[in-house]
Amino acid sequence: MRQTQRFVVLPALLLLIAAGFLPGGGGASLLAAAEEEQVWPRWRGAASDGTAQSGDVFPERFGLRLRWKRELGSGYSAIAVAEGHAVTLFSDGVLDYVGALDAHTGEERWRTTIGPTFPGREGAVDGGCSTPAIDGGRVYALGPRGDLMALSLQDGSIVWRVNLADELGAPVPHWGFTSSPLVTAGRVIVVSGGDDQRIVTAFDSNSGKEVWAAGRDETGVNYQSAALLELDGRSQVVAASDTWLLGLDAQSGSVLWERAHGGQGFYARIVNPVQVDRNTLFFNHRPTEGTLLRLDEEEAAWTTPHLNRNYATPLHRDGTVFGYAGHILTAVDARDGSLRWQSRRPGNGWPILADGHLLVLTKEGTLHVAPASPDGWVESASIQMLERLVWTPPSFAYGMVYGRDSFGEIAAVEVVAGGSDAVAQTASPGAADSRFQRWLAELEQAENRGAAADRFLEENPQTPIIEGNHAHIVYVGEEEDVAARADMLLVREERPLTRVDLGDGRGLFHTSFELHPEARVSYQLVRDYARPGPDPRNPDKGRSFAMFGEVSRILMPEAPPVPPTSLPEGARIESFTLETEPLRVGGQQWGGEREIRVYLPPGYDDSERRYEAIYVHYGRSLAELTDFENGLGDRIGVLMQVTSSYEYARTQRGVHGRMVATQLVPEIDRRYRTIREPQGRIIAGADEGAYSSMEIGLRYPHLFGTVISQSLKAIGKGDRQLLDTVELLPGLPLTVHLDWGIYDPVDPRNGADGAAFNRRLAATLEQNGYTVTSREWNDGLNADALSHRLHRILAEEVDD
């Protein structure tokens, strides 16, 4: 199975590069000043704290320069750098590998096969997540299916290999084994799990034989990694399970202490403790807060709401803990968890520390450097390091930052003396020479800006202010920072509103969007980095499939009206419980009881005829948010609701489809007077519910004769899989009605473009002999607009 490739590099070239003479360009390379001990040999660096053991890296004036970049393969494994090598895990789509590059040039030295590739789930890419460890001329790596391997650093040959699933009975987590090996005291230590409910296992580093197992957790382990820390003057292995945090003796595995960490949800599965003082640990263990724990006290020293909702592991330096609150870089006081500062720049990413500086590789692939200060973020340099989505923390060694994107590129950036990057500021776009822009210019010159702003708000009591094709959003308040999320922006993008100081403690915040004259879109405001919410000055509220919580709506002057809806007189809704077998699918729970709501049209109880039935994914949500049943016509409406976030377009979609076909449809036919032929059944949905509707329609054409797909969203490889299914099943007796909006979600980091894919799907269906109608709207994913579009399809297309 093993595949090993060796590459020879000219020694003279290596000497030139190591000396800092190549590649050429302005600025003197600082690589020559890097000492051999400045390495990053494992997950979170040599000291397990996310900090490079390097000094004198950043001179007073410096810049950043790309040293090398190359294609390698997909995956999320971080990069271990030591002994002249950069080692990581990756996939070519067929096989998973451990691979080594020359740390200075990026040339591939070898790659060794782990096994068949571990397929990405829920939109993830293929490949491994665990970070290898380099120690004493060997590489220790854990593959996603549980293959723990020791390899020669020189050529990648396998020294020993054990499989955690086979040998220990360890269950394979949903996203595979991700625990990063810790090598110390002749042991290779991993958070393994096992059929005996162990937490940690140590293997002999020379032979691979099990030496000890420690801890016990009935809830299991998932994505945690062990760290080597010195607490109370004693070196010890600190590890977490889904429930416990414990300290272990590396040699014997004896438990020195253990505490329940109190984690919740997914954050309990990714606890990575950060040492703050001689006996204190900080960790993010809940979605809404982080905790500082003193080992000599029963209760937590403090909790802070300021570090939350982010998977990046925090950092500590000189009494300040740095991390994220959502996607906002944040610093808190290590003494009590109080907020020190927050900064929208550099954006959501993965921070590490080196030579007293924060280095952040953002998810957009930009690398930013600033002093790790308790007073704020003041950026020193930045560079576009990678082009696609980054979901892996960087590493620092030999005076360089090493990073990779999720899809295939890996790169190294060096620090160069004398350079300085400019920090670009984003101006608020608007209509050139519009009335609003002229008023803003007058406001800047006003003697009393506060009074001028108040007069303007009295004349314009609500937003947005519409001028032609532009919508101006205006907010006045005491906040320091206001940003907008909107259908018109990229996925996860927040546009900062421009702030005009009114001189009275308030600011006037504004931004403008150029929109289609018929646009129906949604937006939210994010005030002082809090959770997004509706614009308080916009009375038009609603819900969106693209944003959580209540949103504000913008209806441009020529937008189709969204009629108010209500339950028709004589109609009613009833419900029943459908029992489904509880299963574990793709590492996640599925099944059990689910409530099914059924809409019965006026006159149903007084007639004996049979009715057409429409099965609607997310139907209960649409009914609760929009009363959309008003447009179902003379049909029975089966209002389905998702019970697992994985069942419509992700790893559980197969079992969900079988449930609909083999349980739900027969039960509806048994309970109600339905037309029991394909032409009497419609399956419909929006977003991921549209994906499920399309797939069920294609796989069960003997049950459903019509599919309604609205703004279909595919996850990961689901787009290609759906198109392949259409091409494999040409000309089915299936009528498909598709619609989508020009403001459907776009995420360039992973190539997702909602409108573009729906156009492609419509064309592929037509090319393969399906009866298709399609329409592109000037909408986002507002629930009211989707409901209105569904009514139009039923009234104008299906009923005709």
Side-chain angles (χ1 to χ4, degrees):
M1 241 4 239
R2 180 171 62 84
Q3 176 184 349
T4 302
Q5 298 179 1
R6 304 185 189 184
F7 293 81
V8 178
V9 183
L10 292 176
L13 180 60
L14 277 175
L15 289 172
L16 287 170
I17 294 171
F21 294 110
L22 291 177
S29 171
L30 299 178
L31 182 58
E35 299 294 335
E36 185 64 27
E37 63 267 18
Q38 296 178 355
V39 296
W40 195 279
R42 59 178 180 245
W43 168 244
R44 306 207 72 230
S48 300
D49 60 358
T51 301
Q53 307 301 297
S54 307
D56 300 323
V57 174
F58 300 104
E60 184 175 350
R61 295 185 67 251
F62 66 90
L64 302 172
R65 181 171 64 194
L66 184 67
R67 180 73 177 197
W68 54 259
K69 183 187 288 189
R70 59 165 295 128
E71 284 287 334
L72 188 65
S74 62
Y76 301 102
S77 170
I79 306 161
V81 189
E83 301 180 38
H85 291 70
V87 184
T88 190
L89 308 187
F90 63 94
S91 169
D92 63 5
V94 178
L95 298 172
D96 284 337
Y97 300 95
V98 185
L101 310 178
D102 184 291
H104 301 296
T105 68
E107 290 195 60
E108 186 172 335
R109 292 287 184 83
W110 51 261
R111 62 175 64 189
T112 298
T113 302
I114 301 172
T117 196
F118 189 86
R121 292 175 170 173
E122 327 311 343
V125 300
D126 296 342
C129 297
S130 171
T131 301
I134 301 173
D135 186 82
R138 286 186 180 174
V139 174
Y140 299 90
L142 178 61
R145 287 188 169 84
D147 296 287
L148 182 63
M149 308 165 66
L151 308 97
S152 166
L153 181 59
Q154 182 179 2
D155 60 11
S157 58
I158 297 174
V159 179
W160 55 259
R161 178 175 188 154
V162 297
N163 185 277
L164 303 186
D166 295 341
E167 300 289 334
L168 308 181
V172 181
H174 182 64
W175 279 283
F177 287 94
T178 68
S179 182
S180 299
L182 171 66
V183 185
T184 184
R187 310 285 188 252
V188 181
I189 300 169
V190 291
V191 179
S192 62
D195 55 13
D196 56 0
Q197 298 176 346
R198 69 178 67 188
I199 296 174
V200 181
T201 306
F203 300 86
D204 184 276
S205 61
N206 289 318
S207 67
K209 293 181 179 180
E210 182 179 328
V211 179
W212 53 256
R216 177 181 170 84
D217 190 342
E218 295 180 358
T219 60
V221 303
N222 276 279
Y223 312 110
Q224 304 92 347
S225 293
L228 186 65
L229 304 176
E230 186 168 313
L231 297 170
D232 275 335
R234 179 170 183 173
S235 179
Q236 53 190 273
V237 175
V238 178
S241 66
D242 290 1
T243 305
W244 297 98
L245 191 65
L246 63 163
L248 306 168
D249 180 82
Q251 190 71 33
S252 66
S254 60
V255 177
L256 305 177
W257 55 269
E258 62 181 348
R259 298 278 292 274
H261 56 63
Q264 294 176 350
F266 186 74
Y267 286 84
R269 305 174 189 173
I270 58 172
V271 169
N272 273 295
V274 177
Q275 185 170 1
V276 173
D277 206 341
R278 63 177 184 84
N279 70 340
T280 59
L281 298 171
F282 176 83
F283 45 89
N284 281 123
H285 63 319
R286 296 177 180 175
T288 57
E289 64 185 14
T291 289
L292 186 82
L293 177 69
R294 289 194 177 95
L295 299 183
D296 56 359
E297 298 178 4
E298 287 298 320
E299 300 297 325
W302 50 258
T303 61
T304 178
H306 302 301
L307 295 173
N308 58 55
R309 304 191 314 277
N310 193 287
Y311 298 153
T313 304
L315 305 161
H316 172 257
R317 175 179 167 81
D318 294 342
T320 301
V321 178
F322 301 94
Y324 275 89
H327 58 277
I328 303 298
L329 188 63
T330 299
V332 303
D333 192 318
R335 293 172 296 184
D336 56 12
S338 59
L339 181 66
R340 282 188 160 168
W341 56 261
Q342 291 187 297
S343 175
R344 187 169 296 282
R345 191 170 175 89
N348 196 1
W350 310 97
I352 61 173
L353 284 162
D355 188 25
H357 286 67
L358 281 168
L359 291 74
V360 179
L361 180 56
T362 69
K363 292 178 180 177
E364 285 73 29
T366 55
L367 176 65
H368 304 256
V369 182
S373 168
D375 300 321
W377 173 268
V378 180
E379 192 159 302
S380 303
S382 65
I383 189 173
Q384 187 74 45
M385 184 176 183
L386 298 157
E387 304 299 326
R388 294 171 291 187
L389 175 66
V390 175
W391 206 262
T392 301
S395 308
F396 189 92
Y398 306 130
M400 293 188 286
V401 182
Y402 297 80
R404 63 178 296 179
D405 67 25
S406 301
F407 298 92
E409 273 196 332
I410 184 171
V413 165
E414 62 184 339
V415 181
V416 292
S420 180
D421 288 6
V423 178
Q425 300 294 330
T426 302
S428 180
D433 198 32
S434 68
R435 182 176 66 87
F436 180 67
Q437 291 295 325
R438 290 194 296 274
W439 177 80
L440 286 174
E442 293 172 3
L443 179 65
E444 293 282 358
Q445 304 301 319
E447 184 174 339
N448 188 331
R449 292 181 181 177
D454 290 337
R455 286 194 299 273
F456 182 82
L457 295 179
E458 288 177 7
E459 297 168 2
N460 299 273
Q462 66 186 50
T463 57
I465 299 167
I466 306 297
E467 277 192 282
N469 291 345
H470 285 80
H472 308 296
I473 296 170
V474 181
Y475 175 82
V476 173
E478 296 179 357
E479 290 85 353
E480 292 297 320
D481 182 274
V482 179
R485 290 184 175 183
D487 287 334
M488 306 78 77
L489 300 174
L490 301 176
V491 172
R492 302 182 190 88
E493 180 183 0
E494 290 186 0
R495 176 191 286 180
L497 273 63
T498 300
R499 185 180 192 274
V500 179
D501 188 352
L502 297 181
D504 56 6
R506 298 180 300 161
L508 181 140
F509 299 84
H510 65 90
T511 192
S512 302
F513 293 98
E514 184 174 6
L515 299 170
H516 192 281
E518 297 179 356
R520 299 183 293 191
V521 292
S522 303
Y523 71 97
Q524 292 176 317
L525 295 183
V526 185
R527 294 182 284 171
D528 274 350
Y529 314 111
R531 286 186 177 275
D535 181 350
R537 299 193 68 247
N538 184 345
D540 193 354
K541 306 292 195 295
R543 296 280 178 166
S544 169
F545 277 76
M547 289 170 266
F548 292 107
E550 194 173 30
V551 299
S552 296
R553 299 191 302 180
I554 300 175
L555 300 180
M556 294 297 281
E558 298 177 30
V562 179
T565 59
S566 60
L567 196 65
E569 184 177 352
R572 63 186 173 87
I573 293 178
E574 62 182 37
S575 63
F576 67 89
T577 299
L578 185 70
E579 296 280 353
T580 58
E581 180 184 2
L583 300 171
R584 194 161 183 84
V585 182
Q588 304 292 333
Q589 193 63 36
W590 180 90
E593 294 184 353
R594 71 172 65 217
E595 183 189 29
I596 303 295
R597 297 187 185 180
V598 179
Y599 166 82
L600 298 174
Y604 176 83
D605 293 321
D606 300 325
S607 73
E608 296 182 357
R609 70 180 181 87
R610 294 192 174 274
Y611 287 77
E612 187 178 53
I614 178 169
Y615 293 70
V616 185
H617 288 94
Y618 295 124
R620 194 176 78 192
S621 291
L622 280 171
E624 291 172 348
L625 298 176
T626 68
D627 293 329
F628 87 115
E629 313 94 309
N630 184 48
L632 294 184
D634 197 25
R635 298 178 179 85
I636 294 173
V638 182
L639 312 183
M640 298 182 286
Q641 187 63 16
V642 64
T643 59
S644 163
S645 58
Y646 301 99
E647 71 175 354
Y648 279 3
R650 309 186 188 215
T651 50
Q652 297 174 345
R653 64 181 192 259
V655 69
H656 168 75
R658 287 192 294 275
M659 179 276 295
V660 171
T662 63
Q663 289 186 261
L664 182 57
V665 169
E667 185 65 17
I668 293 295
D669 286 347
R670 185 184 71 81
R671 288 174 176 265
Y672 304 100
R673 297 191 311 276
T674 57
I675 298 172
R676 299 177 183 182
E677 302 292 338
Q679 63 269 26
R681 297 191 191 95
I682 303 168
I683 190 158
D687 194 59
E688 292 187 31
Y691 190 100
S692 183
S693 299
M694 278 297 311
E695 192 167 67
I696 290 172
L698 291 168
R699 295 189 181 280
Y700 302 100
H702 64 288
L703 294 177
F704 296 96
T706 301
V707 173
I708 297 176
S709 167
Q710 297 186 272
S711 295
L712 183 146
K713 178 181 179 180
I715 302 296
K717 297 178 181 178
D719 52 358
R720 184 64 260 171
Q721 292 166 350
L722 186 58
L723 296 175
D724 288 346
T725 301
V726 171
E727 292 171 350
L728 286 170
L729 300 170
L732 291 177
L734 193 66
T735 299
V736 182
H737 302 284
L738 298 99
D739 72 11
W740 59 89
I742 63 171
Y743 300 108
D744 282 358
V746 176
D747 190 348
R749 298 180 303 178
N750 57 22
D753 184 327
F757 177 71
N758 278 274
R759 294 185 199 111
R760 186 180 177 190
L761 176 60
T764 302
L765 286 162
E766 290 176 355
Q767 292 163 6
N768 284 273
Y770 286 81
T771 302
V772 180
T773 67
S774 63
R775 178 168 176 176
E776 183 169 273
W777 293 79
N778 300 297
D779 292 347
L781 280 178
N782 181 275
D784 291 306
L786 287 167
S787 179
H788 170 249
R789 285 155 46 184
L790 176 62
H791 298 167
R792 188 204 66 83
I793 291 173
L794 291 173
E796 298 180 15
E797 305 290 349
V798 178
D799 288 346
D800 285 350

